[in-house]
Amino acid sequence: MWDNSAFDRAFDQAGMRQCIVRLIDGQPAGEFQARFDRPQQIIMDGLVVNTEYSIEFTTSDVASPLKFGEIVRIEVSKGVFQNFRVKQEPLAQGDGYWTRAELGIVE
C-alpha cells in the first residue's frame, strides 16, 4: 500500500508547504503545514486581475476539521501576515488524505 506521507516529506524538503495558524476569537489555536496557492486570473482582456486563494493540507494534520467561516493566518511574503476566512466547506481530495480549502482575505 502506498504511503502518501512520502509526498508530505518531499513537499516540506522542497519548501512547498508553510505554517498556517488557525485563529479562534483572534487568538492562535493551532498550527499545521499547508501548500498556499494564489493563482491569478486575468479577466476582461487584462482589465481585471482576480486572485483565488486556497490551501491544501494533510487532513489528519488538523486536530479538528477546518470549517466554513473560520479564520487562518498565513505569511504571504517575508514577515508579512494576512488573515483569511474559509469561504466554503473544505473538500477532501481523492482518497481524503489531503483537504483543500478556498479562502478569502479578511479586511
Side-chain angles (χ1 to χ4, degrees):
M1 182 171 176
W2 178 254
D3 179 11
N4 285 332
S5 67
F7 286 110
D8 291 341
R9 290 188 298 277
F11 295 154
D12 290 342
Q13 288 175 346
M16 296 173 66
R17 297 194 316 167
Q18 66 186 81
C19 181
I20 307 297
V21 178
R22 191 178 202 169
L23 301 177
I24 296 178
D25 296 328
Q27 299 300 312
E31 299 178 354
F32 58 96
Q33 293 291 311
R35 185 171 50 87
F36 176 51
D37 286 330
R38 47 186 152 201
Q40 294 182 343
Q41 296 177 317
I42 299 176
I43 303 169
M44 296 174 31
D45 291 329
L47 297 175
V48 177
V49 176
N50 182 35
T51 303
E52 295 293 329
Y53 300 99
S54 65
I55 54 173
E56 188 170 71
F57 54 92
T58 303
T59 305
S60 64
D61 284 353
V62 178
S64 62
L66 200 58
K67 296 188 181 336
F68 168 78
E70 283 195 62
I71 306 293
V72 294
R73 179 173 293 146
I74 300 172
E75 186 174 24
V76 294
S77 61
K78 189 75 170 172
V80 177
F81 295 85
Q82 175 70 52
N83 290 349
F84 293 88
R85 182 177 315 278
V86 177
K87 291 187 348 181
Q88 60 189 23
E89 260 334 288
L91 297 173
Q93 304 297 297
D95 64 1
Y97 185 81
W98 289 288
T99 296
R100 184 171 190 82
E102 302 297 323
L103 307 173
I105 292 178
V106 174
E107 301 295 331

